[in-house]
């Protein structure tokens, strides 16, 4: 197990679409396990591979609350097969846009098909926070960030602050 460095805005890799996983093998499972450990350590409730610089269509999630039993999910090559008509709004954050939050509206429920950590096909009907997190992570696979769902004014304010913060951080190492 290993902790992987999480990349942050403005890194061009976060804006690129990831490519499908071709083989679910032991090396891939090792990467998924490292991603899960990295996500728990952050701490976060989800992590897409591109956030650790790996441009593959896979993600890990665990929306169990503190004190609840861990409930890790490993999702490979997800595809949306149904979305609800009704929406829900939630104040989202992202490990790749540290310390910034904004209200995002998304479909309240989705169904996806995907491959499990064992490479088996599966389906998932997600609601509540699980549906929010899953859509946030699936966006990462297409180079989309939560700020792409808010007004240009709010988005540019957040992006400018992150550019500035990274510049200061790099000047102070
Ligand atoms: O840890 C995370 N919390 C979160 C809160 C609201 C909506 C989405 C998320 S996902 C985020 C971790 C992350 O950046 N995943 O890509
Ligand atoms: Ni994110």
């Amino acid at each position: 197990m290993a902790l992987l460095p999480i990349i942050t805005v403005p890194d061009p890799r976060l804006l690129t679409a990831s490519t499908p996983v071709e083989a679910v093998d032991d090396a891939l499972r090792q990467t998924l396990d490292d991603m899960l450990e990295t996500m728990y350590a952050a701490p976060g409730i989800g992590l897409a591979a591109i956030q650790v610089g790996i441009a593959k269509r896979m993600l890990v999630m665990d929306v169990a609350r503190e004190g609840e039993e861990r409930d890790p999910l490993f999702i490979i090559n997800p595809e949306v097969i149904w979305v609800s008509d009704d929406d829900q709004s939630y104040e989202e954050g992202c490990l790749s846009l540290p310390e910034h939050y904004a209200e995002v509206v998304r479909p309240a429920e989705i169904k996806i098909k995907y491959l499990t950590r064992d490479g088996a096909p599966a389906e998932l009907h997600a609601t509540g926070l699980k549906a929010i997190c899953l859509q946030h992570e699936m966006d990462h696979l297409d180079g989309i960030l939560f700020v792409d769902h808010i007004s240009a004014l709010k988005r540019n304010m957040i992006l400018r602050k992150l550019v500035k913060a990274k510049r200061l951080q790099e000047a102070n190492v």
Side-chain angles (χ1 to χ4, degrees), residues 26-38:
D26 286 344
L28 193 90
R29 277 186 279 274
Q30 182 62 60
T31 304
L32 286 167
D33 291 347
D34 290 344
M35 284 171 56
L36 189 72
E37 190 187 6
T38 300

Side-chain angles (χ1 to χ4, degrees), residues 14-147:
L14 290 169
L15 307 180
T16 64
S18 296
T19 56
V21 169
E22 294 199 349
V24 182
D25 54 19
D26 286 344
L28 193 90
R29 277 186 279 274
Q30 182 62 60
T31 304
L32 286 167
D33 291 347
D34 290 344
M35 284 171 56
L36 189 72
E37 190 187 6
T38 300
M39 183 198 81
Y40 283 137
I45 60 172
L47 189 73
I50 195 62
Q51 294 182 276
V52 292
I54 300 167
K56 289 185 179 165
R57 301 187 76 82
M58 59 187 196
L59 60 98
V60 297
M61 271 176 56
D62 189 340
V63 299
R65 275 175 295 200
E66 232 183 272
E68 286 180 355
E69 207 179 316
R70 279 186 175 183
D71 184 20
L73 255 177
F74 301 90
I75 294 178
I76 301 165
N77 294 346
E79 288 177 45
V80 174
I81 55 176
W82 174 83
V83 299
S84 63
D85 288 331
D86 55 317
D87 293 337
Q88 63 178 335
S89 174
Y90 195 81
E91 184 168 64
E92 298 198 12
C94 181
L95 294 170
S96 297
L97 292 82
E99 292 165 37
H100 291 275
Y101 305 88
E103 206 66 37
V104 175
V105 177
R106 301 181 185 274
E109 304 182 26
I110 65 165
K111 279 186 196 167
I112 63 161
K113 61 173 191 163
Y114 66 103
L115 299 179
T116 66
R117 190 176 173 282
D118 298 322
E123 290 188 5
L124 172 67
H125 179 181
T127 65
L129 184 56
K130 198 178 255 186
I132 291 163
C133 188
L134 188 53
Q135 290 173 79
H136 175 117
E137 302 315 331
M138 288 181 69
D139 272 353
H140 276 303
L141 307 187
D142 291 321
I144 295 167
L145 303 172
F146 80 83
V147 291

